[in-house]
Amino acid sequence: MTENLNEAGLYRLITWLSPSYPVGAFSYSHGLEQVVEQGGVTDAAGLELWLTDLLTLGSGRNDAILFRHAFEATDDTAALAAIAELAAAFVATAERQLETTAQGRAFAMATADAWPCQALDDLASAWAGPIAYPVVVGVAAAGHGLPLRAALHAYLHGFAANLVSAGVRLIPLGQSDGQRVTAALEPAIAQTVEAALEASLEDLGGSAVLADFAAMKHETQYTRLFRS
């Protein structure tokens, strides 16, 4: 596997993890809507801290670990099925599971149609259950010969950028504040990528407990814009 990201690979990553890719990412806030509702995040600085913790201590870190292991298991269908099953189960709340599996299903369908590869076919044959988003993106990246490190960076950037966009709408913030938060998250994304490249599946877990509580509370929030 080459470590160089060529123009074709860059094109795929930009396309797959763009807000315009039809996975419905814009409709999920990952519990952020509840946090804003309760006054836990009220400005750009608070949003940056919240997302930094998600990336380095919470679900962003876990997604990165699952992505890496799915990427590396594309030649072993039994291992890939086990990772897909683990990822579908390793979600803290019902809405978080909807978020990851609905996006995973949509990504699989769109990519198999426009960007088919054997690895996606093998995943569909190996695992008939719900597919978590990081698993299917990791498999597609491997199937198209993309370098793992670059693909992980792109995935986590998409994860963070979607939540920054949600924060801009919810708090609300100006677009310039949103871009400053995105820029400030660059070190956290790089740190999470490096950690995921060394982590085993036994390292899954986290300490972003308030984010999990917020996602649970969002399920009964009366007025809401987002599905999570």
Side-chain angles (χ1 to χ4, degrees):
M1 181 73 67
T2 178
E3 286 301 314
N4 296 319
L5 181 64
N6 59 25
E7 289 86 352
L10 179 61
Y11 190 88
R12 285 166 173 77
L13 287 177
I14 290 172
T15 303
W16 295 346
L17 296 162
S18 161
S20 67
Y21 208 61
V23 299
F26 64 88
S27 62
Y28 301 98
S29 83
H30 212 70
L32 181 61
E33 184 168 25
Q34 168 65 200
V35 180
V36 174
E37 174 80 10
Q38 296 299 314
V41 172
T42 60
D43 56 19
L47 180 61
E48 178 190 337
L49 289 172
W50 186 265
L51 297 184
T52 296
D53 283 349
L54 273 182
L55 285 163
T56 59
L57 302 172
S59 52
R61 172 182 177 275
N62 288 328
D63 272 10
I65 294 172
L66 291 164
F67 184 113
R68 173 258 174 126
H69 283 275
F71 182 102
E72 294 179 343
T74 51
D75 293 329
D76 184 341
T77 55
L80 184 58
I83 292 165
E85 183 176 12
L86 174 63
F90 201 85
V91 189
T93 73
E95 286 186 349
R96 286 263 192 93
Q97 187 183 56
L98 171 67
E99 179 178 336
T100 191
T101 58
Q103 289 185 83
R105 181 174 62 254
F107 183 93
M109 293 174 62
T111 309
D113 180 62
W115 310 85
C117 66
Q118 187 61 48
L120 287 173
D121 293 341
D122 290 344
L123 174 61
S125 298
W127 173 246
I131 304 173
Y133 190 38
V135 169
V136 70
V137 180
V139 167
H144 282 267
L146 307 185
L148 174 56
R149 189 185 301 272
L152 261 177
H153 268 280
Y155 177 86
L156 289 175
H157 175 270
F159 173 88
N162 182 64
L163 295 183
V164 170
S165 177
V168 167
R169 285 173 278 168
L170 287 166
I171 293 172
L173 299 175
Q175 294 297 328
S176 294
D177 277 337
Q179 290 307 305
R180 293 186 191 101
V181 173
T182 300
L185 292 174
E186 185 176 345
I189 289 173
Q191 176 185 336
T192 303
V193 168
E194 295 307 313
L197 292 174
E198 301 295 329
S200 69
L201 290 173
E202 286 71 27
D203 292 318
L204 287 167
S207 54
V209 180
L210 291 180
D212 292 339
F213 286 164
M216 293 175 192
K217 290 180 179 178
H218 187 269
E219 295 173 9
T220 58
Q221 186 171 324
Y222 180 70
T223 302
R224 54 187 184 170
L225 300 174
F226 294 87
R227 298 181 75 188
S228 70

